[in-house]
Amino acid sequence: MRSSNGRKAVMAVTGAVLVLYLIAHMAGNLKIFYGAAAFNEYAAWLREVGHPLVPNRTVLTLVEVVLAVCVLAHMWSAISLARRAHRARPVKYAARPKSQASGYAVHTMRFGGIIILLFVIWHLLDLTFATVNPAGPAGAPYDRMVEGFAAGRWPVTLFYVLALLMVGLHLRHGLWSAFQTLGVVGARREKALKLAAAGVSGLLVLGFMAVPLAITFGVVK
């Protein structure tokens, strides 16, 4: 944990857990296209997983705890590595050669993470706790989603789309960095892994965008 490689490994593993969660979350969101009953049933199932073996919401709470730990560990490793890099080179180079490492993707990893964190906070307030959602805390999950992305709230939809694009950039670069950290990159696999990172991030962004855009444009009502 004290070494840079150890902290990079923490970032890679926690990032992988978060990617798996995003895939599952996206798949659940897409159930809204099956109608209100199916989506509300899915939302209820999330709270009932493991019942009657364990009380309702036990498994969901454990998942939330694991996700919270992964987010905190991911942020800790990112911040500590950035500080270590700054201490190693406190004075910027007078001239820096152009490379992928100095491109927008790296800036997205550093500053985009803050934007994504703010987006997650808004997302929880909007669709989980419903404190800023028109349907309110008493609204059914389907109603929260539909009223939250109604045409009249297009600025909210626009914010989600922009935030999801940021997530995609963060994810693409993060997956590629994780492949490198975990030592799975080779000369023969480099191109395929880059395509995989771009493909996974692209599919996730499109999958998450599909729901708010469908609601805003009246496909889902």
Side-chain angles (χ1 to χ4, degrees):
M1 296 293 285
R2 294 181 179 180
S3 68
S4 294
N5 286 338
R7 296 182 187 190
K8 288 179 181 179
V10 169
M11 185 182 294
V13 172
T14 54
V17 173
L18 294 173
V19 169
L20 292 176
Y21 165 73
L22 286 176
I23 294 172
H25 187 26
M26 180 196 69
N29 281 1
L30 293 176
K31 289 188 71 69
I32 202 168
F33 291 103
Y34 289 92
F39 189 77
N40 289 333
E41 182 181 358
Y42 160 71
W45 173 81
L46 288 176
R47 290 162 174 76
E48 297 169 358
V49 174
H51 182 79
L53 181 62
V54 293
N56 282 345
R57 222 186 182 285
T58 300
V59 174
L60 182 59
T61 300
L62 291 175
V63 171
E64 290 171 343
V65 170
V66 170
L67 288 174
V69 171
C70 285
V71 169
L72 292 175
H74 197 75
M75 292 174 61
W76 166 80
S77 57
I79 293 171
S80 62
L81 285 169
R83 288 179 175 177
R84 178 169 291 186
H86 179 73
R87 288 195 299 267
R89 196 187 64 209
V91 179
K92 294 183 179 180
Y93 293 129
R96 180 182 302 175
K98 292 183 179 180
S99 67
Q100 183 181 2
S102 62
Y104 180 71
V106 172
H107 292 289
T108 300
M109 298 301 289
R110 293 177 180 176
F111 305 110
I114 298 174
I115 298 174
I116 293 170
L117 178 61
L118 295 175
F119 163 68
V120 169
I121 293 172
W122 170 264
H123 181 69
L124 292 173
L125 292 174
D126 186 21
L127 297 175
T128 302
F129 304 111
T131 55
V132 296
N133 188 283
Y142 184 89
D143 297 331
R144 293 183 189 181
M145 190 79 81
V146 171
E147 294 193 31
F149 295 112
R153 296 188 87 207
W154 65 265
V156 174
T157 302
L158 179 61
F159 169 62
Y160 268 74
V161 169
L162 293 176
L164 287 170
L165 290 174
M166 188 69 70
V167 170
L169 290 172
H170 188 96
L171 184 59
R172 180 184 64 83
H173 188 73
L175 283 172
W176 173 243
S177 297
F179 291 148
Q180 292 177 307
T181 299
L182 298 176
V184 298
V185 177
R188 295 182 178 180
R189 291 176 291 187
E190 180 176 352
K191 185 176 180 180
L193 290 174
K194 284 185 176 180
L195 288 174
V200 170
S201 59
L203 287 175
L204 280 171
V205 169
L206 291 175
F208 275 109
M209 278 187 185
V211 174
L213 291 177
I215 295 171
T216 298
F217 289 103
V219 177
V220 173
K221 302 180 180 179

